Amino acid sequence: MLKTRQDLPLIDDLQALFLRDVPLLDVRAPVEFHEGAFPTAQNHPLMDDADRVAIGTRYKQQGQDAAIALGLQRVSGEVKAQRVAAWEQFAREHPDGVLYCFRGGLRSRISQQWLFEQTGLHYPRVKGGYKAMRRFLLNQLETLPATLQPVVLSGRTGSGKTRFLQTLQRTVDLEGLANHRGSAFGGQPTPQPSQISFENALAIQLLRALQTQSALLFEDESRMIGSLHLPETFFTRLREAPLVLMQVADAERVEISYQEYVVDTSAAFTALHHGDVECGFAAFSGYLLGSLDKIQRRLGGVRYQAVLKMMQQALAIQARDGTTQAHYDWVRLILLDYYDPMYDYQISKKQERLVFSGSPAEVRDYLSSVGIV
């Protein structure tokens, strides 16, 4: 059985890892990384997905020694050299980083040892690995909300709440962490993180923010942000928090919504397709029409057909000459005729929590008075 050096550095202060934004070298297989990871982690696996399946099967059939022998056979020669080279590059670029595998066991010890043998680098590994780090963050999500003094920022769709939050310090941008703007048209060109990665990032944000004070501002969200859900203990705390209502004129809300959902999103799809305007436009069109389909039943047949016709006409004009102003028509209709009545109903059930209402400038002054700036 493979022996590993016992004097290579081991890290067990998990809180410090997250508070200090330590670069993380994740040597798990890609499939494990995609299921859940941390914001500062990069995946440079010891075994790829095929290796992991083959070695896992061998372990079940013949035991650990046979599995290790197969692993050393599959990850050898040029393959081994390439993987060690990736670790070395990461380690030299991030001398303050650490490495880990799933449980802090054989994979991370082998990676740590090979890195030392090939490069002389004493790179630390995390005791307990990803599993210990994940358990630590789950515990934070359960315990930190009790120490939190949240204030929730509400306002009609298109009020620019996310933009407003981004100008303040004592906030956590839930939509940013979820990579979704929280409405039927809130999808981004890039996918949302996994539920586990979202929870990890949220726990780290809360842990850092609450080191200095307990008052934090959050945007008013439903339990779901796109396909992701807020952890129960945290969501319950937000649902009980004081509510601040930001009032913005309808014309400004239409302008903000047009800018975010049409101009910015169209440009983002084009950028995602490396500047290919035609491919970017096709993806943008699919995004708009697909988003509209999600609320077809709630819009009702007549209203859905009206919005669909406006959207199709606007897309046709955009395809022809690149202009987007025709999108104002459906944006205005759906904002004022669909989202506003729905918001009015929701805010009517939260009146007992409402502590302040005013313009963005007035809201800023109020938040400053309660220690959120």
Side-chain angles (χ1 to χ4, degrees), residues 13-73:
D13 187 348
L14 303 183
Q15 178 165 300
L17 290 181
F18 296 121
L19 289 179
R20 297 173 184 171
D21 226 14
V22 172
L24 303 172
L25 172 55
D26 188 323
V27 300
R28 296 177 300 157
V31 66
E32 297 172 285
F33 183 81
H34 292 309
E35 286 175 356
F38 308 109
T40 62
Q42 290 184 28
N43 185 219
H44 298 288
L46 169 65
M47 303 183 301
D48 63 21
D49 293 339
D51 294 332
R52 179 173 176 266
V53 171
I55 295 166
T57 301
R58 180 67 61 87
Y59 177 84
K60 292 177 182 177
Q61 294 174 344
Q62 301 180 30
Q64 186 181 60
D65 288 351
I68 291 173
L70 178 61
L72 294 174
Q73 175 186 334

Side-chain angles (χ1 to χ4, degrees), residues 185-216:
F185 290 85
Q188 301 283 14
T190 52
Q192 291 190 261
S194 70
Q195 178 67 34
I196 292 174
S197 294
F198 171 66
E199 292 171 355
N200 289 343
L202 174 59
I204 293 168
Q205 288 275 312
L206 291 175
L207 182 64
R208 290 176 184 163
L210 292 174
Q211 293 300 300
T212 53
Q213 71 179 67
S214 57
L216 284 173

